[in-house]
Amino acid sequence: MDINANLILMDYFENAAKLKPGEFVLLRDGKVIDPLIHGKFTKEHPATIRVSDNQEILAGDTLVYPKTQQYCIADDIRHYFSEGEGYYLVHYHTPQMCTPPHHKHHHQE
């Protein structure tokens, strides 16, 4: 992630209370893509976010939820059409889900 994207994300984290529920920051190739994505975590399907299809989301993109600072890496995206509107169901994994936890030991010197 480039330094600029990191600064933008930190700003979103600090101001998360001002964001509407369901606003995600889209990261692609280490850069923040505007505007914010509107979505919601689905209750029926674990690790899935439903988002409008008015913006393109690609496998490998990361949706960051500033309110909880959760990083959701898109690994499967399905397009649906219902009641006159299109939407994506984005299945994701978080960085912690893809690698087993390992503990770092810090030695104070």
PDB file of all heavy atoms in Angstrom, residues 26-60:
ATOM      1  N   LEU A  26     -12.496   1.640  -0.887  1.00  0.00           N
ATOM      2  CA  LEU A  26     -12.018   0.652  -1.849  1.00  0.00           C
ATOM      3  C   LEU A  26     -10.525   0.858  -2.100  1.00  0.00           C
ATOM      4  O   LEU A  26     -10.098   1.955  -2.445  1.00  0.00           O
ATOM      5  CB  LEU A  26     -12.801   0.793  -3.165  1.00  0.00           C
ATOM      6  CG  LEU A  26     -12.367  -0.118  -4.321  1.00  0.00           C
ATOM      7  CD1 LEU A  26     -12.534  -1.587  -3.957  1.00  0.00           C
ATOM      8  CD2 LEU A  26     -13.177   0.204  -5.569  1.00  0.00           C
ATOM      9  N   LEU A  27      -9.749  -0.203  -1.889  1.00  0.00           N
ATOM     10  CA  LEU A  27      -8.319  -0.191  -2.187  1.00  0.00           C
ATOM     11  C   LEU A  27      -8.069  -1.114  -3.371  1.00  0.00           C
ATOM     12  O   LEU A  27      -8.515  -2.264  -3.366  1.00  0.00           O
ATOM     13  CB  LEU A  27      -7.509  -0.739  -1.005  1.00  0.00           C
ATOM     14  CG  LEU A  27      -7.310   0.129   0.214  1.00  0.00           C
ATOM     15  CD1 LEU A  27      -6.547  -0.646   1.281  1.00  0.00           C
ATOM     16  CD2 LEU A  27      -6.556   1.391  -0.132  1.00  0.00           C
ATOM     17  N   ARG A  28      -7.362  -0.588  -4.371  1.00  0.00           N
ATOM     18  CA  ARG A  28      -6.992  -1.412  -5.528  1.00  0.00           C
ATOM     19  C   ARG A  28      -5.544  -1.114  -5.868  1.00  0.00           C
ATOM     20  O   ARG A  28      -5.177   0.040  -6.040  1.00  0.00           O
ATOM     21  CB  ARG A  28      -7.901  -1.105  -6.710  1.00  0.00           C
ATOM     22  CG  ARG A  28      -7.539  -1.909  -7.968  1.00  0.00           C
ATOM     23  CD  ARG A  28      -8.498  -1.663  -9.112  1.00  0.00           C
ATOM     24  NE  ARG A  28      -9.820  -2.113  -8.748  1.00  0.00           N
ATOM     25  CZ  ARG A  28     -10.947  -1.528  -9.166  1.00  0.00           C
ATOM     26  NH1 ARG A  28     -10.909  -0.471  -9.954  1.00  0.00           N
ATOM     27  NH2 ARG A  28     -12.119  -2.003  -8.795  1.00  0.00           N
ATOM     28  N   ASP A  29      -4.747  -2.155  -5.952  1.00  0.00           N
ATOM     29  CA  ASP A  29      -3.318  -2.000  -6.278  1.00  0.00           C
ATOM     30  C   ASP A  29      -2.641  -0.975  -5.354  1.00  0.00           C
ATOM     31  O   ASP A  29      -1.845  -0.157  -5.803  1.00  0.00           O
ATOM     32  CB  ASP A  29      -3.134  -1.585  -7.745  1.00  0.00           C
ATOM     33  CG  ASP A  29      -3.669  -2.642  -8.705  1.00  0.00           C
ATOM     34  OD1 ASP A  29      -3.557  -3.835  -8.382  1.00  0.00           O
ATOM     35  OD2 ASP A  29      -4.200  -2.263  -9.756  1.00  0.00           O
ATOM     36  N   GLY A  30      -3.015  -1.008  -4.078  1.00  0.00           N
ATOM     37  CA  GLY A  30      -2.370  -0.134  -3.097  1.00  0.00           C
ATOM     38  C   GLY A  30      -2.825   1.305  -3.130  1.00  0.00           C
ATOM     39  O   GLY A  30      -2.257   2.148  -2.457  1.00  0.00           O
ATOM     40  N   LYS A  31      -3.867   1.597  -3.912  1.00  0.00           N
ATOM     41  CA  LYS A  31      -4.357   2.980  -3.994  1.00  0.00           C
ATOM     42  C   LYS A  31      -5.825   3.039  -3.595  1.00  0.00           C
ATOM     43  O   LYS A  31      -6.582   2.103  -3.830  1.00  0.00           O
ATOM     44  CB  LYS A  31      -4.205   3.500  -5.421  1.00  0.00           C
ATOM     45  CG  LYS A  31      -2.753   3.502  -5.889  1.00  0.00           C
ATOM     46  CD  LYS A  31      -2.525   4.478  -7.015  1.00  0.00           C
ATOM     47  CE  LYS A  31      -1.096   4.568  -7.481  1.00  0.00           C
ATOM     48  NZ  LYS A  31      -0.056   4.034  -6.692  1.00  0.00           N
ATOM     49  N   VAL A  32      -6.224   4.178  -3.001  1.00  0.00           N
ATOM     50  CA  VAL A  32      -7.625   4.381  -2.627  1.00  0.00           C
ATOM     51  C   VAL A  32      -8.389   4.814  -3.876  1.00  0.00           C
ATOM     52  O   VAL A  32      -7.981   5.732  -4.579  1.00  0.00           O
ATOM     53  CB  VAL A  32      -7.753   5.448  -1.515  1.00  0.00           C
ATOM     54  CG1 VAL A  32      -9.212   5.786  -1.254  1.00  0.00           C
ATOM     55  CG2 VAL A  32      -7.078   4.962  -0.241  1.00  0.00           C
ATOM     56  N   ILE A  33      -9.496   4.123  -4.158  1.00  0.00           N
ATOM     57  CA  ILE A  33     -10.342   4.434  -5.304  1.00  0.00           C
ATOM     58  C   ILE A  33     -11.592   5.158  -4.789  1.00  0.00           C
ATOM     59  O   ILE A  33     -12.286   4.642  -3.920  1.00  0.00           O
ATOM     60  CB  ILE A  33     -10.780   3.138  -6.042  1.00  0.00           C
ATOM     61  CG1 ILE A  33      -9.584   2.242  -6.386  1.00  0.00           C
ATOM     62  CG2 ILE A  33     -11.612   3.476  -7.279  1.00  0.00           C
ATOM     63  CD1 ILE A  33      -8.622   2.777  -7.404  1.00  0.00           C
ATOM     64  N   ASP A  34     -11.846   6.359  -5.312  1.00  0.00           N
ATOM     65  CA  ASP A  34     -13.040   7.103  -4.906  1.00  0.00           C
ATOM     66  C   ASP A  34     -14.180   6.779  -5.852  1.00  0.00           C
ATOM     67  O   ASP A  34     -13.944   6.387  -6.983  1.00  0.00           O
ATOM     68  CB  ASP A  34     -12.751   8.613  -4.953  1.00  0.00           C
ATOM     69  CG  ASP A  34     -11.861   9.034  -3.784  1.00  0.00           C
ATOM     70  OD1 ASP A  34     -12.015   8.473  -2.686  1.00  0.00           O
ATOM     71  OD2 ASP A  34     -11.015   9.914  -3.993  1.00  0.00           O
ATOM     72  N   PRO A  35     -15.407   7.001  -5.480  1.00  0.00           N
ATOM     73  CA  PRO A  35     -15.887   7.390  -4.148  1.00  0.00           C
ATOM     74  C   PRO A  35     -16.019   6.177  -3.230  1.00  0.00           C
ATOM     75  O   PRO A  35     -15.700   5.065  -3.628  1.00  0.00           O
ATOM     76  CB  PRO A  35     -17.264   7.985  -4.472  1.00  0.00           C
ATOM     77  CG  PRO A  35     -17.738   7.212  -5.658  1.00  0.00           C
ATOM     78  CD  PRO A  35     -16.485   6.888  -6.458  1.00  0.00           C
ATOM     79  N   LEU A  36     -16.520   6.417  -2.012  1.00  0.00           N
ATOM     80  CA  LEU A  36     -16.742   5.325  -1.072  1.00  0.00           C
ATOM     81  C   LEU A  36     -17.767   4.351  -1.653  1.00  0.00           C
ATOM     82  O   LEU A  36     -18.654   4.732  -2.415  1.00  0.00           O
ATOM     83  CB  LEU A  36     -17.271   5.867   0.263  1.00  0.00           C
ATOM     84  CG  LEU A  36     -16.274   6.692   1.070  1.00  0.00           C
ATOM     85  CD1 LEU A  36     -16.954   7.300   2.279  1.00  0.00           C
ATOM     86  CD2 LEU A  36     -15.089   5.845   1.508  1.00  0.00           C
ATOM     87  N   ILE A  37     -17.635   3.100  -1.268  1.00  0.00           N
ATOM     88  CA  ILE A  37     -18.563   2.047  -1.688  1.00  0.00           C
ATOM     89  C   ILE A  37     -19.628   1.906  -0.604  1.00  0.00           C
ATOM     90  O   ILE A  37     -19.302   1.863   0.582  1.00  0.00           O
ATOM     91  CB  ILE A  37     -17.800   0.705  -1.805  1.00  0.00           C
ATOM     92  CG1 ILE A  37     -16.672   0.802  -2.808  1.00  0.00           C
ATOM     93  CG2 ILE A  37     -18.755  -0.442  -2.090  1.00  0.00           C
ATOM     94  CD1 ILE A  37     -17.021   0.524  -4.221  1.00  0.00           C
ATOM     95  N   HIS A  38     -20.878   1.836  -1.000  1.00  0.00           N
ATOM     96  CA  HIS A  38     -21.957   1.597  -0.037  1.00  0.00           C
ATOM     97  C   HIS A  38     -22.285   0.111  -0.060  1.00  0.00           C
ATOM     98  O   HIS A  38     -22.538  -0.448  -1.120  1.00  0.00           O
ATOM     99  CB  HIS A  38     -23.198   2.425  -0.395  1.00  0.00           C
ATOM    100  CG  HIS A  38     -22.947   3.885  -0.265  1.00  0.00           C
ATOM    101  ND1 HIS A  38     -23.045   4.556   0.925  1.00  0.00           N
ATOM    102  CD2 HIS A  38     -22.536   4.798  -1.168  1.00  0.00           C
ATOM    103  CE1 HIS A  38     -22.724   5.817   0.739  1.00  0.00           C
ATOM    104  NE2 HIS A  38     -22.403   5.990  -0.526  1.00  0.00           N
ATOM    105  N   GLY A  39     -22.239  -0.494   1.102  1.00  0.00           N
ATOM    106  CA  GLY A  39     -22.514  -1.919   1.172  1.00  0.00           C
ATOM    107  C   GLY A  39     -22.981  -2.295   2.555  1.00  0.00           C
ATOM    108  O   GLY A  39     -23.094  -1.462   3.445  1.00  0.00           O
ATOM    109  N   LYS A  40     -23.288  -3.576   2.715  1.00  0.00           N
ATOM    110  CA  LYS A  40     -23.609  -4.053   4.053  1.00  0.00           C
ATOM    111  C   LYS A  40     -23.189  -5.499   4.187  1.00  0.00           C
ATOM    112  O   LYS A  40     -23.270  -6.274   3.228  1.00  0.00           O
ATOM    113  CB  LYS A  40     -25.078  -3.857   4.372  1.00  0.00           C
ATOM    114  CG  LYS A  40     -26.038  -4.629   3.510  1.00  0.00           C
ATOM    115  CD  LYS A  40     -27.474  -4.351   3.918  1.00  0.00           C
ATOM    116  CE  LYS A  40     -28.381  -5.244   3.105  1.00  0.00           C
ATOM    117  NZ  LYS A  40     -29.758  -4.964   3.198  1.00  0.00           N
ATOM    118  N   PHE A  41     -22.710  -5.833   5.378  1.00  0.00           N
ATOM    119  CA  PHE A  41     -22.370  -7.222   5.673  1.00  0.00           C
ATOM    120  C   PHE A  41     -23.680  -8.005   5.673  1.00  0.00           C
ATOM    121  O   PHE A  41     -24.670  -7.556   6.245  1.00  0.00           O
ATOM    122  CB  PHE A  41     -21.690  -7.328   7.043  1.00  0.00           C
ATOM    123  CG  PHE A  41     -20.321  -6.705   7.077  1.00  0.00           C
ATOM    124  CD1 PHE A  41     -20.126  -5.462   7.645  1.00  0.00           C
ATOM    125  CD2 PHE A  41     -19.226  -7.368   6.539  1.00  0.00           C
ATOM    126  CE1 PHE A  41     -18.863  -4.876   7.686  1.00  0.00           C
ATOM    127  CE2 PHE A  41     -17.957  -6.790   6.573  1.00  0.00           C
ATOM    128  CZ  PHE A  41     -17.785  -5.549   7.144  1.00  0.00           C
ATOM    129  N   THR A  42     -23.699  -9.163   5.005  1.00  0.00           N
ATOM    130  CA  THR A  42     -24.937  -9.935   4.935  1.00  0.00           C
ATOM    131  C   THR A  42     -25.010 -10.913   6.096  1.00  0.00           C
ATOM    132  O   THR A  42     -23.994 -11.486   6.496  1.00  0.00           O
ATOM    133  CB  THR A  42     -25.055 -10.696   3.603  1.00  0.00           C
ATOM    134  OG1 THR A  42     -23.949 -11.586   3.490  1.00  0.00           O
ATOM    135  CG2 THR A  42     -25.059  -9.747   2.407  1.00  0.00           C
ATOM    136  N   LYS A  43     -26.217 -11.083   6.615  1.00  0.00           N
ATOM    137  CA  LYS A  43     -26.406 -12.021   7.726  1.00  0.00           C
ATOM    138  C   LYS A  43     -26.560 -13.450   7.211  1.00  0.00           C
ATOM    139  O   LYS A  43     -26.155 -14.399   7.864  1.00  0.00           O
ATOM    140  CB  LYS A  43     -27.645 -11.620   8.536  1.00  0.00           C
ATOM    141  CG  LYS A  43     -27.450 -10.311   9.285  1.00  0.00           C
ATOM    142  CD  LYS A  43     -28.652 -10.002  10.170  1.00  0.00           C
ATOM    143  CE  LYS A  43     -28.434  -8.753  10.998  1.00  0.00           C
ATOM    144  NZ  LYS A  43     -28.264  -7.542  10.224  1.00  0.00           N
ATOM    145  N   GLU A  44     -27.141 -13.601   5.989  1.00  0.00           N
ATOM    146  CA  GLU A  44     -27.388 -14.954   5.465  1.00  0.00           C
ATOM    147  C   GLU A  44     -26.107 -15.682   5.104  1.00  0.00           C
ATOM    148  O   GLU A  44     -26.027 -16.899   5.180  1.00  0.00           O
ATOM    149  CB  GLU A  44     -28.245 -14.962   4.197  1.00  0.00           C
ATOM    150  CG  GLU A  44     -29.421 -14.049   4.027  1.00  0.00           C
ATOM    151  CD  GLU A  44     -29.105 -12.582   3.803  1.00  0.00           C
ATOM    152  OE1 GLU A  44     -28.758 -12.178   2.676  1.00  0.00           O
ATOM    153  OE2 GLU A  44     -29.238 -11.828   4.775  1.00  0.00           O
ATOM    154  N   HIS A  45     -25.124 -14.945   4.632  1.00  0.00           N
ATOM    155  CA  HIS A  45     -23.884 -15.560   4.160  1.00  0.00           C
ATOM    156  C   HIS A  45     -22.706 -15.003   4.954  1.00  0.00           C
ATOM    157  O   HIS A  45     -22.484 -13.807   4.943  1.00  0.00           O
ATOM    158  CB  HIS A  45     -23.660 -15.247   2.674  1.00  0.00           C
ATOM    159  CG  HIS A  45     -24.836 -15.581   1.810  1.00  0.00           C
ATOM    160  ND1 HIS A  45     -25.169 -16.868   1.464  1.00  0.00           N
ATOM    161  CD2 HIS A  45     -25.766 -14.787   1.238  1.00  0.00           C
ATOM    162  CE1 HIS A  45     -26.245 -16.854   0.708  1.00  0.00           C
ATOM    163  NE2 HIS A  45     -26.635 -15.604   0.555  1.00  0.00           N
ATOM    164  N   PRO A  46     -21.952 -15.855   5.634  1.00  0.00           N
ATOM    165  CA  PRO A  46     -20.782 -15.348   6.363  1.00  0.00           C
ATOM    166  C   PRO A  46     -19.730 -14.808   5.393  1.00  0.00           C
ATOM    167  O   PRO A  46     -19.622 -15.284   4.267  1.00  0.00           O
ATOM    168  CB  PRO A  46     -20.267 -16.565   7.126  1.00  0.00           C
ATOM    169  CG  PRO A  46     -20.862 -17.753   6.464  1.00  0.00           C
ATOM    170  CD  PRO A  46     -22.115 -17.296   5.767  1.00  0.00           C
ATOM    171  N   ALA A  47     -18.994 -13.822   5.834  1.00  0.00           N
ATOM    172  CA  ALA A  47     -17.889 -13.234   5.067  1.00  0.00           C
ATOM    173  C   ALA A  47     -18.351 -12.751   3.698  1.00  0.00           C
ATOM    174  O   ALA A  47     -17.681 -12.959   2.695  1.00  0.00           O
ATOM    175  CB  ALA A  47     -16.726 -14.215   4.949  1.00  0.00           C
ATOM    176  N   THR A  48     -19.515 -12.099   3.668  1.00  0.00           N
ATOM    177  CA  THR A  48     -20.053 -11.586   2.416  1.00  0.00           C
ATOM    178  C   THR A  48     -20.584 -10.171   2.623  1.00  0.00           C
ATOM    179  O   THR A  48     -21.199  -9.877   3.642  1.00  0.00           O
ATOM    180  CB  THR A  48     -21.193 -12.497   1.899  1.00  0.00           C
ATOM    181  OG1 THR A  48     -20.701 -13.826   1.784  1.00  0.00           O
ATOM    182  CG2 THR A  48     -21.696 -12.048   0.546  1.00  0.00           C
ATOM    183  N   ILE A  49     -20.317  -9.309   1.647  1.00  0.00           N
ATOM    184  CA  ILE A  49     -20.822  -7.940   1.662  1.00  0.00           C
ATOM    185  C   ILE A  49     -21.674  -7.757   0.411  1.00  0.00           C
ATOM    186  O   ILE A  49     -21.261  -8.141  -0.683  1.00  0.00           O
ATOM    187  CB  ILE A  49     -19.668  -6.916   1.629  1.00  0.00           C
ATOM    188  CG1 ILE A  49     -18.690  -7.151   2.775  1.00  0.00           C
ATOM    189  CG2 ILE A  49     -20.213  -5.479   1.670  1.00  0.00           C
ATOM    190  CD1 ILE A  49     -17.379  -6.401   2.619  1.00  0.00           C
ATOM    191  N   ARG A  50     -22.855  -7.180   0.586  1.00  0.00           N
ATOM    192  CA  ARG A  50     -23.701  -6.858  -0.570  1.00  0.00           C
ATOM    193  C   ARG A  50     -23.461  -5.388  -0.913  1.00  0.00           C
ATOM    194  O   ARG A  50     -23.580  -4.519  -0.058  1.00  0.00           O
ATOM    195  CB  ARG A  50     -25.179  -7.080  -0.224  1.00  0.00           C
ATOM    196  CG  ARG A  50     -26.086  -6.706  -1.379  1.00  0.00           C
ATOM    197  CD  ARG A  50     -27.541  -6.888  -0.998  1.00  0.00           C
ATOM    198  NE  ARG A  50     -28.387  -6.279  -2.011  1.00  0.00           N
ATOM    199  CZ  ARG A  50     -29.580  -6.729  -2.342  1.00  0.00           C
ATOM    200  NH1 ARG A  50     -30.090  -7.775  -1.734  1.00  0.00           N
ATOM    201  NH2 ARG A  50     -30.278  -6.110  -3.264  1.00  0.00           N
ATOM    202  N   VAL A  51     -23.089  -5.129  -2.164  1.00  0.00           N
ATOM    203  CA  VAL A  51     -22.826  -3.754  -2.595  1.00  0.00           C
ATOM    204  C   VAL A  51     -23.552  -3.475  -3.903  1.00  0.00           C
ATOM    205  O   VAL A  51     -23.786  -4.380  -4.701  1.00  0.00           O
ATOM    206  CB  VAL A  51     -21.313  -3.457  -2.774  1.00  0.00           C
ATOM    207  CG1 VAL A  51     -20.569  -3.569  -1.464  1.00  0.00           C
ATOM    208  CG2 VAL A  51     -20.697  -4.351  -3.811  1.00  0.00           C
ATOM    209  N   SER A  52     -23.887  -2.221  -4.114  1.00  0.00           N
ATOM    210  CA  SER A  52     -24.511  -1.802  -5.358  1.00  0.00           C
ATOM    211  C   SER A  52     -23.537  -2.041  -6.506  1.00  0.00           C
ATOM    212  O   SER A  52     -22.322  -1.990  -6.321  1.00  0.00           O
ATOM    213  CB  SER A  52     -24.863  -0.320  -5.267  1.00  0.00           C
ATOM    214  OG  SER A  52     -25.218   0.163  -6.540  1.00  0.00           O
ATOM    215  N   ASP A  53     -24.078  -2.269  -7.703  1.00  0.00           N
ATOM    216  CA  ASP A  53     -23.178  -2.500  -8.831  1.00  0.00           C
ATOM    217  C   ASP A  53     -22.892  -1.218  -9.614  1.00  0.00           C
ATOM    218  O   ASP A  53     -22.490  -1.269 -10.759  1.00  0.00           O
ATOM    219  CB  ASP A  53     -23.722  -3.589  -9.759  1.00  0.00           C
ATOM    220  CG  ASP A  53     -24.980  -3.160 -10.497  1.00  0.00           C
ATOM    221  OD1 ASP A  53     -25.516  -2.069 -10.207  1.00  0.00           O
ATOM    222  OD2 ASP A  53     -25.432  -3.916 -11.375  1.00  0.00           O
ATOM    223  N   ASN A  54     -23.078  -0.070  -8.957  1.00  0.00           N
ATOM    224  CA  ASN A  54     -22.781   1.188  -9.652  1.00  0.00           C
ATOM    225  C   ASN A  54     -21.276   1.467  -9.710  1.00  0.00           C
ATOM    226  O   ASN A  54     -20.858   2.415 -10.342  1.00  0.00           O
ATOM    227  CB  ASN A  54     -23.545   2.371  -9.037  1.00  0.00           C
ATOM    228  CG  ASN A  54     -23.164   2.614  -7.593  1.00  0.00           C
ATOM    229  OD1 ASN A  54     -22.396   1.850  -7.004  1.00  0.00           O
ATOM    230  ND2 ASN A  54     -23.702   3.649  -7.003  1.00  0.00           N
ATOM    231  N   GLN A  55     -20.486   0.674  -9.016  1.00  0.00           N
ATOM    232  CA  GLN A  55     -19.024   0.767  -9.118  1.00  0.00           C
ATOM    233  C   GLN A  55     -18.473  -0.621  -9.336  1.00  0.00           C
ATOM    234  O   GLN A  55     -19.003  -1.599  -8.796  1.00  0.00           O
ATOM    235  CB  GLN A  55     -18.424   1.317  -7.823  1.00  0.00           C
ATOM    236  CG  GLN A  55     -18.515   2.812  -7.695  1.00  0.00           C
ATOM    237  CD  GLN A  55     -17.983   3.245  -6.354  1.00  0.00           C
ATOM    238  OE1 GLN A  55     -18.716   3.322  -5.386  1.00  0.00           O
ATOM    239  NE2 GLN A  55     -16.697   3.519  -6.298  1.00  0.00           N
ATOM    240  N   GLU A  56     -17.402  -0.703 -10.102  1.00  0.00           N
ATOM    241  CA  GLU A  56     -16.809  -2.004 -10.362  1.00  0.00           C
ATOM    242  C   GLU A  56     -15.949  -2.434  -9.179  1.00  0.00           C
ATOM    243  O   GLU A  56     -15.192  -1.652  -8.627  1.00  0.00           O
ATOM    244  CB  GLU A  56     -15.942  -1.904 -11.626  1.00  0.00           C
ATOM    245  CG  GLU A  56     -15.446  -3.241 -12.093  1.00  0.00           C
ATOM    246  CD  GLU A  56     -14.716  -3.136 -13.416  1.00  0.00           C
ATOM    247  OE1 GLU A  56     -13.859  -2.242 -13.552  1.00  0.00           O
ATOM    248  OE2 GLU A  56     -15.001  -3.950 -14.291  1.00  0.00           O
ATOM    249  N   ILE A  57     -16.103  -3.686  -8.808  1.00  0.00           N
ATOM    250  CA  ILE A  57     -15.250  -4.281  -7.777  1.00  0.00           C
ATOM    251  C   ILE A  57     -14.628  -5.519  -8.394  1.00  0.00           C
ATOM    252  O   ILE A  57     -15.304  -6.301  -9.050  1.00  0.00           O
ATOM    253  CB  ILE A  57     -16.072  -4.648  -6.524  1.00  0.00           C
ATOM    254  CG1 ILE A  57     -16.640  -3.374  -5.912  1.00  0.00           C
ATOM    255  CG2 ILE A  57     -15.206  -5.391  -5.515  1.00  0.00           C
ATOM    256  CD1 ILE A  57     -17.522  -3.608  -4.730  1.00  0.00           C
ATOM    257  N   LEU A  58     -13.336  -5.669  -8.210  1.00  0.00           N
ATOM    258  CA  LEU A  58     -12.597  -6.773  -8.819  1.00  0.00           C
ATOM    259  C   LEU A  58     -12.060  -7.717  -7.750  1.00  0.00           C
ATOM    260  O   LEU A  58     -11.770  -7.287  -6.631  1.00  0.00           O
ATOM    261  CB  LEU A  58     -11.417  -6.224  -9.632  1.00  0.00           C
ATOM    262  CG  LEU A  58     -11.738  -5.140 -10.661  1.00  0.00           C
ATOM    263  CD1 LEU A  58     -10.458  -4.577 -11.251  1.00  0.00           C
ATOM    264  CD2 LEU A  58     -12.645  -5.683 -11.754  1.00  0.00           C
ATOM    265  N   ALA A  59     -11.914  -8.979  -8.108  1.00  0.00           N
ATOM    266  CA  ALA A  59     -11.272  -9.931  -7.191  1.00  0.00           C
ATOM    267  C   ALA A  59      -9.882  -9.395  -6.861  1.00  0.00           C
ATOM    268  O   ALA A  59      -9.175  -8.914  -7.742  1.00  0.00           O
ATOM    269  CB  ALA A  59     -11.200 -11.310  -7.824  1.00  0.00           C
ATOM    270  N   GLY A  60      -9.519  -9.446  -5.605  1.00  0.00           N
ATOM    271  CA  GLY A  60      -8.233  -8.910  -5.173  1.00  0.00           C
ATOM    272  C   GLY A  60      -8.334  -7.501  -4.605  1.00  0.00           C
ATOM    273  O   GLY A  60      -7.430  -7.042  -3.926  1.00  0.00           O
TER     274      GLY A  60
END
